[in-house]
Amino acid sequence: MLAFIGGTGLTRMDNLRIVATHPLDTRFGKPSAPVVEGELHGRRVLFLARHGDPHVLLPHQVNYRANLAALKEAGASAIVAVNAVGGITPDAPTGALVLPDQMIDYTWGRDSTFFDSPDEPLVHVDFSWPFDGALRTALKNQLATSELAWNDGGCYGATQGPRLETAAEIARLERDGCDIVGMTGMPEAVLARELALPYAMLSLVVNPAAGKSTHEITMAEIEAVIHSGMAGVCTLLADFARDYG
């Protein structure tokens, strides 16, 4: 089944007709929330709220291993992860969706592999291209039929949080080649790769990153973009579930 991971602003999918709830407990602990099974346009999908339902977990507090293990156990065959990000370059304006094709990891101290026990085999996954090509192409084709503002490609910079970045840090990320910045892309993406689950990311730009605006960004402005933007994301994901595969 196709699975969606919802980030900030997407704790629930209002257009999802819920048919089952799976309160799973993995060997890595409990996921952020129960895995919800439902229907979109008659197609069965899974949904997991990354930060819990209600939103209570900060990015560094998310049990990413439990989340991915629970989705795998519930029958996920591919994952589309949604997140709210800051825009760094002109290719990532506020309100637009970005379909990134690369990633740089600036996080630290997070459990980033399933294979860190002496009882586990030594595994080094190829992570040259963090996002599944076929899944990205399918999302790109779906975006092309929508009326949403979006950009194909870009580099996601994953920072530790929970604080926002300084202007100097954003300048460094831009020099490194990052187009957007968020706090949840890693280790989520690499854990999906370890489980051989195709994974792609859909990022909603909710504000200019630090130093990229002429005025102070308020939470009210960010919340307004999230509210309007995630409504479009929900419609897009429903159409994607109908057409995917």
Side-chain angles (χ1 to χ4, degrees), residues 48-61:
L48 176 63
R50 182 188 291 117
H51 297 280
D53 183 12
H55 186 301
V56 293
L57 297 171
L58 296 170
H60 69 290
Q61 295 174 324

Side-chain angles (χ1 to χ4, degrees), residues 21-38:
T21 301
H22 305 284
L24 300 170
D25 194 353
T26 77
R27 67 187 182 95
F28 302 100
K30 293 185 177 181
S32 300
V35 176
V36 175
E37 183 176 346

